[in-house]
């Protein structure tokens, strides 16, 4: 099965549900901050924050979102072409003692999240770290799991999952390509 | 990028990438934990054939902040002072497992020789930390980083990612002939789109510089201030050995130099409101720059030092990460 797996309405519904799950799991919005992993985790975190603010008017999205660039914490720096380093911006309320929800588009090997956990450790000491992803495509290489998943998409390793977002790509879509050709 | 030997061979794209990367490195240096795991297990050798304090310490800090191991190898008290050749030193470094060599040498071209001689096998990157009167690329990059931060955003701290130095007018004042800082700066400033103004006594200008028409040349600082609205002014250090006496005197006296080229209060007041003052250090206060100018709010001289660490972190990251480096 290849082609567009999720369209704009599906992505919107998934993010609305994840927002509710985050509030349910944490019994409210107190102490919640969202950290998006560039590139597409950042707009996803912004959308989740907007959803949270809609449900809980006390949640001030502007103070609770940030971006966490993990490039310098990757474990494959020597085997890949040199990567451009992105910006890290912490939420204005900080992350010490907060519940950090990491936000990324595709959850795959888990190595990005491992790097993100290391990066967080150097930025401060959150009370807890949770993980929200739009798509979980499996093939974990590390003992890491997501707390909130938009959609589980079983894939083979040779397939590609691309998330397109209006903010970065001009449209909302999750596209599966490749496979055993 | 494999080596960083000079700014003359640096494309605008690569120069901007180094500056952008340095911007992210600088941001990490404001955290409580400033160390990054990025170059863990890599070895950086500081090979200094010439005395240097700030450049060596800056490279050492940059490498350590990225978790690389640092070996300092300086001429004094080592086999280098016993007459070991550059080649044998290179073979030694290779055997010690260096991934990058930061080299400062009194001979122009030493870094390039080290990089291209084949003495070091494929995987070792060479960073030029100053070779003779030729190039000092990381100094020019940190100067460009400092100017971009102050002059290319609406306010200091604005996002200047992706920008060059287009449209700025920058003056370099002093010993252009012997200064590797000037050599690197002139090339990089032009690559990044700035207009370069050079101010020096005729004896301290490279032969043919004026005829080439790439930079505006003035023989006194007053003339330059009259002719241009400067955005930045960079005072170069007067090297003592160039001053007077014997056949090596390039100008009659320090007093005359200060009178014609020194940045004093009156000249500083003629700068536009936003203009900044740079100096690569170490300063001769009272000679090329007055204490008033060096300590004024326009002066970014102390900031240049901290920006130097960020720029060198960026250079080390870009040279040492990536598949080319480990090939």
């Amino acid at each position: 099965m290849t082609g567009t797996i999720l369209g704009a309405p599906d992505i919107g519904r998934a993010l609305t549900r994840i927002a509710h799950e985050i509030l349910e799991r944490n019994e409210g919005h107190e102490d919640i901050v969202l950290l998006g992993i560039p590139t597409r985790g950042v707009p996803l975190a912004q959308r989740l924050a907007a959803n949270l603010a809609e449900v809980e008017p006390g949640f001030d999205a502007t103070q609770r979102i940030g971006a966490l660039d993990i490039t310098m914490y990757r474990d494959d720096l020597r085997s890949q072409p040199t990567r451009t380093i992105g910006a890290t911006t912490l939420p204005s309320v900080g992350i010490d003692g907060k519940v950090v929800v990491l936000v990324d588009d595709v959850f795959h090997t888990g190595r990005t999240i491992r790097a993100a956990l290391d990066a967080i450790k150097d930025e401060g000491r959150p009370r807890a770290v949770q993980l929200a992803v739009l798509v979980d495509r499996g093939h974990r290489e590390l003992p890491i799991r997501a707390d909130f998943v938009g959609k589980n998409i079983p894939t083979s390793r040779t397939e590609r999952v691309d998330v397109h977002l209006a903010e970065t790509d001009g449209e909302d879509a999750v596209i599966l390509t490749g496979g055993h050709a | 990028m494999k080596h960083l030997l000079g700014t003359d061979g640096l494309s605008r794209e690569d120069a901007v990438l180094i500056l952008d990367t340095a911007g992210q490195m600088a941001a990490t240096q404001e955290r409580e934990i400033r160390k990054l795991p990025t170059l863990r297990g890599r070895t950086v050798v500081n090979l200094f054939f010439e005395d240097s304090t700030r450049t060596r310490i800056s490279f050492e800090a940059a490498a350590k902040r990225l978790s690389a191991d640092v070996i300092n190898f300086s001429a004094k008290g080592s086999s280098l002072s016993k007459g070991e050749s550059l080649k044998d030193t290179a073979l030694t470094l290779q055997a010690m497992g260096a991934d990058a060599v930061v080299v400062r040498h009194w001979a122009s071209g030493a870094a390039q020789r080290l990089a291209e001689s084949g003495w070091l096998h494929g995987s070792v990157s060479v960073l030029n930390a100053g070779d003779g009167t030729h190039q000092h690329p990381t100094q020019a990059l940190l100067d460009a980083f400092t100017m971009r931060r102050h002059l290319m955003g609406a306010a200091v701290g604005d996002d200047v990612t992706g920008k060059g130095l287009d449209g700025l007018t920058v003056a370099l004042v002093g010993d252009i002939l012997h200064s590797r800082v000037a050599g690197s700066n002139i090339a990089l400033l032009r690559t990044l789109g700035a207009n370069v103004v050079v101010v020096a006594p005729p004896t301290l200008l490279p032969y043919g510089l004026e005829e080439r028409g790439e930079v505006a040349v003035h023989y006194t600082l007053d003339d330059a201030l009259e002719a241009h609205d400067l955005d930045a002014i960079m005072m170069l250090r007067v090297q003592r050995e160039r001053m007077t006496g014997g056949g090596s005197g390039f100008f009659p006296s320090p007093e005359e130099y200060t009178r014609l080229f020194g940045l004093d209060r009156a000249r500083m007041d003629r700068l536009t409101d936003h203009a900044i003052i740079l100096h690569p250090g170490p300063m001769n206060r009272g000679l090329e720059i007055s204490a008033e100018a060096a300590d004024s709010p326009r002066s970014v001289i102390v900031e240049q030092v901290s920006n130097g660490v960020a720029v060198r972190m960026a250079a080390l990251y870009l040279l040492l990460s990536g598949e080319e480096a480990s090939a």
Side-chain angles (χ1 to χ4, degrees):
Chain A
M1 178 180 158
T2 56
T4 302
I5 305 281
L6 298 181
D10 306 314
I11 292 175
R13 277 193 291 273
L15 292 176
T16 306
R17 174 173 53 75
I18 291 175
H20 282 99
E21 285 176 0
I22 290 172
L23 292 170
E24 206 170 42
R25 165 81 65 90
N26 295 292
E27 293 167 2
H29 66 270
E30 294 294 316
D31 292 341
I32 290 178
V33 298
L34 302 170
L35 284 185
I37 298 174
T39 306
R40 291 182 184 74
V42 177
L44 286 175
Q46 284 160 352
R47 293 192 197 183
L48 276 176
N51 288 345
L52 289 173
E54 220 166 88
V55 185
E56 306 258 322
F59 183 84
D60 184 352
T62 56
Q63 295 185 2
R64 305 287 195 92
I65 51 175
L68 185 72
D69 185 76
I70 55 107
T71 310
M72 287 191 278
Y73 293 85
R74 299 190 72 96
D75 60 6
D76 60 354
L77 285 170
R78 295 178 73 162
S79 56
Q80 297 287 323
T82 305
R83 291 167 189 269
T84 305
I85 297 170
T88 291
T89 50
L90 292 187
S92 55
V93 296
I95 62 169
D96 286 328
K98 302 283 187 291
V99 175
V100 169
V101 181
L102 280 171
V103 184
D104 203 2
D105 54 353
V106 179
F107 189 30
H108 186 200
T109 60
R111 289 178 190 268
T112 300
I113 305 307
R114 186 214 52 87
L117 294 173
D118 281 355
I120 285 177
K121 179 194 67 176
D122 284 356
E123 298 285 356
R125 190 179 187 282
R127 181 157 62 77
V129 179
Q130 298 169 358
L131 174 61
V133 296
L134 182 60
V135 173
D136 182 350
R137 63 166 293 191
H139 305 291
R140 218 75 70 229
E141 294 170 4
L142 294 168
I144 290 172
R145 62 164 180 78
D147 299 271
F148 314 104
V149 178
K151 173 101 176 150
N152 284 295
I153 302 178
T155 60
S156 80
R157 281 179 189 276
T158 54
E159 286 170 322
R160 262 183 77 92
V161 176
D162 287 304
V163 171
H164 290 190
L165 295 174
E167 293 90 330
T168 50
D169 313 278
E171 55 157 1
D172 274 4
V174 176
I175 298 163
L176 184 66
T177 50
H180 303 282
Chain B
M1 271 178 282
K2 175 84 172 79
H3 305 293
L4 182 60
L5 302 176
T7 55
D8 37 5
L10 205 59
S11 68
R12 181 186 167 103
E13 195 184 9
D14 282 345
V16 169
L17 175 64
I18 294 173
L19 298 184
D20 289 349
T21 306
Q24 304 301 347
M25 293 294 181
T28 67
Q29 297 308 297
E30 285 161 17
R31 313 187 310 201
E32 201 172 326
I33 296 172
R34 287 181 286 187
K35 204 174 179 82
L36 296 154
T38 316
L39 297 181
R40 207 164 67 86
R42 319 303 297 271
T43 300
V44 175
V45 174
N46 284 326
L47 179 61
F48 278 65
F49 291 84
E50 223 183 43
D51 286 341
S52 159
T53 311
R54 60 186 68 212
T55 303
R56 187 183 60 74
I57 289 177
S58 182
F59 266 109
E60 184 170 349
K64 285 182 171 170
R65 300 269 164 83
L66 290 170
S67 299
D69 294 317
V70 180
I71 298 173
N72 287 312
F73 205 0
S74 55
K76 277 199 184 116
S78 76
S79 54
L80 301 177
S81 61
K82 298 174 191 163
E84 187 178 71
S85 70
L86 187 58
K87 178 176 179 175
D88 288 324
T89 306
L91 296 175
T92 307
L93 300 177
Q94 178 84 51
M96 283 194 290
D99 294 296
V101 176
V102 176
V103 62
R104 158 74 59 96
H105 201 284
W106 43 264
S108 300
Q112 183 154 1
R113 184 89 176 111
L114 197 60
E116 294 172 1
S117 59
W119 300 329
L120 296 166
H121 296 300
S123 63
V124 182
S125 292
V126 176
L127 289 92
N128 186 357
D131 60 331
T133 60
H134 180 223
Q135 285 272 329
H136 191 358
T138 55
Q139 177 70 43
L141 286 161
L142 77 87
D143 292 335
F145 181 85
T146 308
M147 286 184 256
R148 190 173 79 150
R149 194 174 111 77
H150 280 269
L151 301 170
M152 295 309 286
V156 177
D158 282 6
D159 185 14
V160 289
T161 306
K163 289 186 183 173
L165 298 173
D166 301 284
L168 296 184
T169 302
V170 180
L172 278 71
V173 186
D175 185 352
I176 309 298
L177 178 62
H178 300 101
S179 171
R180 52 196 174 211
V181 176
S184 280
N185 260 297
I186 291 173
L188 183 63
L189 286 166
R190 287 175 44 76
T191 301
L192 292 174
N195 306 309
V196 181
V197 177
V198 153
V199 188
T203 48
L204 289 173
L205 281 171
Y207 178 76
L209 183 72
E210 195 166 7
E211 286 71 26
R212 264 182 271 153
E214 295 167 345
V215 302
V217 176
H218 295 276
Y219 299 116
T220 69
L221 185 48
D222 288 323
D223 286 351
L225 290 170
E226 190 62 43
H228 304 278
D229 282 332
L230 299 176
D231 297 296
I233 183 166
M234 189 182 305
M235 309 307 295
L236 300 171
R237 187 169 71 94
V238 175
Q239 290 158 298
R240 298 255 163 210
E241 62 273 23
R242 319 271 187 224
M243 286 182 197
T244 48
S248 64
F250 284 86
F251 49 86
S253 70
E255 292 73 21
E256 187 187 297
Y257 184 92
T258 306
R259 202 159 58 240
L260 293 176
F261 302 99
L263 185 61
D264 56 18
R265 180 59 189 255
R267 289 184 178 130
M268 184 168 69
D269 287 343
R270 291 171 63 188
L271 293 169
T272 53
D273 286 344
H274 65 268
I276 56 170
I277 299 168
L278 298 96
H279 192 297
M283 286 185 278
N284 296 305
R285 285 177 181 246
L287 182 49
E288 71 267 7
I289 188 166
S290 70
E292 263 180 318
D295 300 329
S296 80
R298 291 174 180 283
S299 162
V300 294
I301 297 167
V302 177
E303 188 192 316
Q304 282 175 277
V305 178
S306 51
N307 290 344
V309 176
V311 163
R312 287 169 181 125
M313 287 172 76
L316 287 169
Y317 168 75
L318 292 170
L319 294 181
L320 286 181
S321 75
E323 57 189 351
E324 289 161 303
S326 56

